[in-house]
Amino acid sequence: MRRRRMLERSQRARETRDRMGGGDFNPAGMIRIAGFGAAIVVAVAVYIGFHRGDETIYDGRWGVMERLIRPIIFGANALELLALVFAGLIAWRVWKKMQS
């Protein structure tokens, strides 16, 4: 008898959560989006690296990107700091989603 009450209670809680929109959180979808984003970043990096052959990245129009890899603070460059900010924003969003 106790098991039936527990199952009914959990079923009601699941239905309430689904009605409130709490069932929209999909970690697998977020992982797929992150993988797709990483694939795009790698593709862009490969394109930039091999587009001109023997030229370096600083010779052509991509030379402005040199500012992104110069150390800014404590040896960290702008790309690393941007990656930390984006990872923090994503982690914060996931955390907020899990709280609701």
Side-chain angles (χ1 to χ4, degrees):
M1 198 64 153
R2 286 180 166 199
R3 179 173 165 77
R4 177 178 286 190
R5 276 188 260 162
M6 184 194 70
L7 290 173
E8 289 172 356
R9 198 172 29 210
S10 64
Q11 179 67 25
R12 278 191 306 247
R14 191 177 310 121
E15 289 171 357
T16 304
R17 186 180 64 232
D18 289 343
R19 269 187 265 126
M20 291 176 56
D24 295 336
F25 180 69
N26 184 6
M30 287 187 175
I31 291 171
R32 283 190 207 106
I33 290 172
F36 184 68
I40 289 173
V41 168
V42 168
V44 169
V46 168
Y47 170 75
I48 291 171
F50 291 106
H51 179 65
R52 296 280 181 157
D54 59 345
E55 290 182 10
T56 64
I57 192 171
Y58 310 117
D59 295 336
R61 65 177 181 228
W62 300 101
V64 295
M65 293 182 69
E66 182 181 4
R67 287 181 263 169
L68 294 175
I69 62 171
R70 269 193 236 136
I72 296 176
I73 183 169
F74 301 124
N77 59 37
L79 286 177
E80 292 169 345
L81 295 176
L82 285 172
L84 286 175
V85 167
F86 284 132
L89 287 173
I90 291 170
W92 177 75
R93 183 171 180 230
V94 169
W95 180 71
K96 291 296 279 183
K97 192 80 163 169
M98 290 176 68
Q99 293 296 321
S100 60

